[in-house]
Amino acid sequence: MATPTQKPSSPRQQLGQIVHLGLSSFLNTHHKEFSSKFQILRPSESKFPLNQFFTAEAQNTQAAICSGGFKLSADILRHLPSLRLIVATTSGLNNIDLSECRKRGISVINAGNIYSADVADLAVGMVIDLMRKISAGNRFVKTGLWPKQGDYLLGSKLGGKQVGIVGLGSIGVEVAKRLEAFGCKISYYSRKKKPCVSYTFYSNIHELASVSDILVICCALTEQTRHLINREVLLTLGKEGLIVNIARGAIIDEKELVRCLLQREIAGAGLDVFEHEPRVPQELFGLDNVVLSPHFAVYTEGASRHLEEHLIGNLEAFFSNRPLLSPVLDDE
């Protein structure tokens, strides 16, 4: 039976071989920088099934780039027996079997805090958009309704609002700092109280929702946080409450969110992420109290350059037998 064949390596000196797992868009953007330093295996461009490609081409591959939410399961890891390093292009690692990586002594690097400021900017932008009805007002003007219907609906003042942040990690802290500057009062829900901040801590998500005008979701997706924001939490947030999610779609029970929005049981939502993306509930498309974006909170030129440097720096350290720059999970 025919097997995949590896393209001849470049004549220039390369540090080592890596396999790219996931959407090709990341490497297409950064191909020159990575290919000048590493020999890259790209199974997404092969006509062969993934496991067959691994068996033929990647048995000695020690490092992988994981992008686009590629599901790196225990089964796939078993087909990469020499793997010792995974560098992920995301901050969230819910798509990687970290337990299996630990068993196999595989170090895992994520994007760290690279995206935090950019994601926080979008979160605050969505809050302002919802409060001041910017996107809705834009549609009102562009569809010619202003001359016909007169003045648009009143927006809401942001200063003085109670903002509940779900997950006070690096992104949550950046969101809090920005909204605090607008005069908002900050509270948060997290796994444990953060001694370095003065914001009010709630160990119960329902209690946070009950005192918040706005909930901003910033936590990681885990088995504990999946559908953390359920119907009860949304009803507790109430008819005047807004919710913004720039974390992971499945943290909110999306069906219940749609139902609450359609029934006006909450005031509105800003969503950069979705439970089954890129599929988005069509019921949301016609709602003026909903602002949507295509999971692009991290997509800025500055973050892209910083990520490239971060990943290449760790790969260079690995292949040169130097300590990794920022291990999330290592073999110790």
Side-chain angles (χ1 to χ4, degrees):
M1 180 177 64
T3 59
T5 56
Q6 176 61 41
K7 296 178 181 179
S9 61
S10 169
R12 61 198 151 188
Q13 186 66 36
Q14 293 172 316
L15 292 173
Q17 184 185 80
I18 60 177
V19 59
H20 178 244
L21 306 172
L23 299 176
S24 60
S25 55
F26 174 79
L27 268 189
N28 289 343
T29 302
H30 302 278
H31 176 76
K32 179 179 178 181
E33 293 75 10
F34 279 87
S35 62
S36 68
K37 296 176 180 292
F38 312 105
Q39 181 187 7
I40 304 172
L41 301 180
R42 304 181 73 162
S44 63
E45 297 181 353
S46 172
K47 63 181 180 181
F48 293 91
L50 199 58
N51 290 344
Q52 184 181 339
F53 181 92
F54 291 153
T55 299
E57 302 291 350
Q59 293 302 284
N60 297 316
T61 304
Q62 294 185 296
I65 297 176
C66 185
S67 65
F70 181 88
K71 190 72 174 177
L72 196 43
S73 64
D75 181 62
I76 286 182
L77 290 170
R78 281 193 289 272
H79 285 84
L80 294 167
S82 300
L83 198 64
R84 291 296 174 266
L85 175 67
I86 298 167
V87 291
T89 63
T90 59
S91 294
L93 296 173
N94 55 289
N95 57 307
I96 298 175
D97 190 331
L98 295 179
S99 177
E100 187 67 20
C101 288
R102 184 175 286 108
K103 290 178 186 176
R104 293 177 173 275
I106 300 172
S107 297
V108 180
I109 304 292
N110 70 350
N113 299 336
I114 288 171
Y115 300 132
S116 298
D118 295 315
V119 174
D121 287 346
L122 184 72
V124 174
M126 284 187 158
V127 170
I128 296 171
D129 192 321
L130 290 166
M131 298 289 291
R132 298 306 307 271
K133 305 183 188 300
I134 296 171
S135 292
N138 178 64
R139 287 190 294 272
F140 184 75
V141 173
K142 288 184 175 181
T143 55
L145 293 177
W146 191 10
K148 300 174 184 177
Q149 298 184 11
D151 292 341
Y152 194 60
L153 301 172
L154 292 175
S156 299
K157 184 179 178 64
L158 180 56
K161 296 297 183 184
Q162 297 276 356
V163 178
I165 297 178
V166 181
L168 201 70
S170 60
I171 294 173
V173 167
E174 293 295 328
V175 172
K177 289 193 301 186
R178 285 157 172 74
L179 289 174
E180 195 173 25
F182 280 95
C184 295
K185 300 173 183 177
I186 308 297
S187 304
Y188 71 99
Y189 165 89
S190 196
R191 287 176 296 178
K192 56 185 178 180
K193 189 173 183 179
K194 309 288 184 179
C196 57
V197 300
S198 59
Y199 309 133
T200 303
F201 168 67
Y202 289 90
S203 60
N204 184 294
I205 189 64
H206 294 85
E207 291 179 4
L208 179 69
S210 71
V211 300
S212 298
D213 300 306
I214 306 161
L215 282 182
V216 183
I217 313 303
C218 302
C219 61
L221 176 60
T222 66
E223 288 305 312
Q224 291 71 40
T225 62
R226 184 177 295 276
H227 286 190
L228 174 69
I229 309 301
N230 54 26
R231 179 170 177 78
E232 290 72 27
V233 174
L234 293 168
L235 292 177
T236 301
L237 180 62
K239 293 186 177 182
E240 301 300 318
L242 300 172
I243 190 164
V244 168
N245 189 4
I246 43 73
R248 286 292 185 270
I251 295 168
I252 301 178
D253 186 332
E254 193 167 82
K255 289 184 179 179
E256 292 300 335
L257 174 63
V258 170
R259 184 177 291 114
C260 286
L261 287 164
L262 291 174
Q263 296 175 357
R264 298 286 174 173
E265 290 172 327
I266 64 171
L271 306 171
D272 183 54
V273 290
F274 305 89
E275 190 163 1
H276 305 290
E277 60 187 51
R279 298 186 299 278
V280 177
Q282 292 188 4
E283 298 94 326
L284 301 178
F285 295 167
L287 299 180
D288 276 344
N289 60 338
V290 176
V291 177
L292 308 174
S293 60
H295 200 159
F296 70 173
V298 303
Y299 293 161
T300 67
E301 290 183 6
S304 181
R305 287 194 300 270
H306 193 181
L307 177 66
E308 176 189 293
E309 294 168 359
H310 173 75
L311 298 184
I312 288 177
N314 275 291
L315 286 165
E316 287 178 331
F318 171 76
F319 285 116
S320 302
N321 294 314
R322 302 195 309 268
L324 298 174
L325 306 181
S326 52
V328 173
L329 174 72
D330 59 35
D331 57 8
E332 297 179 357

